[in-house]
Amino acid sequence: MKTSVTARSGRLKARRAANGSVTEGAARAGLTARGVIYLLVGVLALRVAFGDGKHQADRSGALATIADEPFGSVLLWALGIGLVGMAVWRLSEAVFGSAGADGRKAGKRLMAVVRCVFYVTVAWSVLAFAAGSGGGGRSSDEQSRDLTARALDVPAGQWLVGAAGAGVVIAGVVIAVQAVRRSYRDKMKLGQMSPRVRRLVDVTGVGGGAARGLVFVVAGGFAVRAAVDARPERAKGLDDTLRSFAGTPAGPWLLALVAAGLVLFGLFSFALARWRRV
């Protein structure tokens, strides 16, 4: 009897270890894929800031850039599969809870569900682009305007779009504040880093997170404005949001600063892929 119980216990532990390894691999692949996209978007935005607007400074522009490279198709498939891994990781967090003392709370699990749905959508668009169907080729600006127009047509559409925009603004503020406070450190294996590496990670985490949060705030603000005016064309995707920084009194230099921040966030995602606790 004891032998049977011991055997079952051993198999259960082995299964949990295997599931944990799969989830960890999926998370690290997903974080790496996210890093590639942010890095490329940041580089494209830098080009826009200095007068080269050949590609959209958003996900579709990043995919087009990859497609133009040697073995671009292979890289696109790898990127899409990595993003599937991100969705799998977030799904596991929704089902089993995430790392940390409060990882099993309902709020954390709900956010994991939202992130899972988001990354399923992103992964699908990347894989569709890789397969040649063009599903990932529409710019973020077109997608944002179309989605806003459809939402405004439903009952209480203005309130719906306004609430969504306000939610994006709040999310941006939270992202920026957490970055400045270096809250990400709670989920990283700091003991495995040298002091120099830790400082470099802080530069990418703080600078990248603050820039990403700012972009969210501005994009959410445009959505709120579209809701108030009931004009979907006022909503902006990532490309138009980034280009709007060049229209401020600071001009292209502000766009260049934000773009550099997105590059930093891409590098920070690589650091997370290496040292984040999953």
Side-chain angles (χ1 to χ4, degrees):
M1 184 67 176
K2 288 183 179 179
T3 303
S4 176
V5 171
T6 302
R8 278 201 303 272
S9 177
R11 286 196 298 269
L12 181 59
K13 288 180 179 179
R15 192 179 301 114
R16 285 176 177 172
N19 290 340
S21 298
V22 170
T23 300
E24 181 173 353
R28 302 202 187 287
L31 289 167
T32 300
R34 185 183 73 174
V36 170
I37 291 177
Y38 269 98
L39 185 63
L40 287 175
V41 169
V43 170
L44 291 172
L46 281 171
R47 289 181 179 178
V48 171
F50 294 109
D52 180 7
K54 179 181 177 182
H55 287 308
Q56 295 278 315
D58 56 13
R59 186 171 65 248
S60 66
L63 298 181
T65 300
I66 294 173
D68 289 340
E69 297 299 320
F71 305 104
S73 178
V74 175
L75 294 174
L76 286 171
W77 280 105
L79 192 65
I81 293 169
L83 291 167
V84 170
M86 192 75 153
V88 169
W89 172 38
R90 295 306 188 183
L91 177 61
S92 73
E93 288 188 325
V95 175
F96 303 109
S98 58
D102 59 347
R104 295 180 180 275
K105 289 184 177 179
K108 292 283 187 179
R109 294 193 178 199
L110 179 60
M111 283 305 303
V113 171
V114 173
R115 288 167 176 160
C116 176
V117 172
F118 172 76
Y119 281 108
V120 164
T121 304
V122 175
W124 175 262
S125 71
V126 173
L127 291 172
F129 190 93
S133 69
R138 296 181 68 219
S139 73
S140 60
D141 301 321
E142 293 173 327
Q143 294 177 31
S144 179
R145 287 192 293 268
D146 289 350
L147 181 61
T148 303
R150 288 197 297 269
L152 287 173
D153 282 340
V154 304
Q158 284 183 266
W159 287 101
L160 179 63
V161 173
V168 173
V169 171
I170 292 170
V173 172
V174 171
I175 289 170
V177 170
Q178 288 182 338
V180 172
R181 295 178 61 186
R182 297 185 290 185
S183 300
Y184 54 82
R185 282 188 160 202
D186 296 339
K187 297 181 179 179
M188 298 191 75
K189 301 174 182 178
L190 298 178
Q192 296 183 7
M193 304 179 196
S194 67
R196 181 172 177 273
V197 169
R198 202 176 300 149
R199 286 194 295 271
L200 289 173
V201 170
D202 279 340
V203 170
T204 61
V206 174
R212 183 177 179 233
L214 177 60
V215 172
F216 270 59
V217 169
V218 175
F222 283 127
V224 171
R225 182 183 176 188
V228 171
D229 296 342
R231 294 178 61 182
E233 69 273 13
R234 292 196 181 278
K236 297 183 184 293
L238 179 57
D239 180 70
D240 273 353
T241 297
L242 288 171
R243 291 174 190 268
S244 71
F245 289 108
T248 65
W253 291 107
L254 178 57
L255 172 57
L257 183 63
V258 174
L262 295 181
V263 170
L264 288 177
F265 188 77
L267 297 175
F268 177 64
S269 292
F270 296 151
L272 289 175
R274 172 64 179 83
W275 287 293
R276 195 190 192 282
R277 291 199 305 274
V278 178

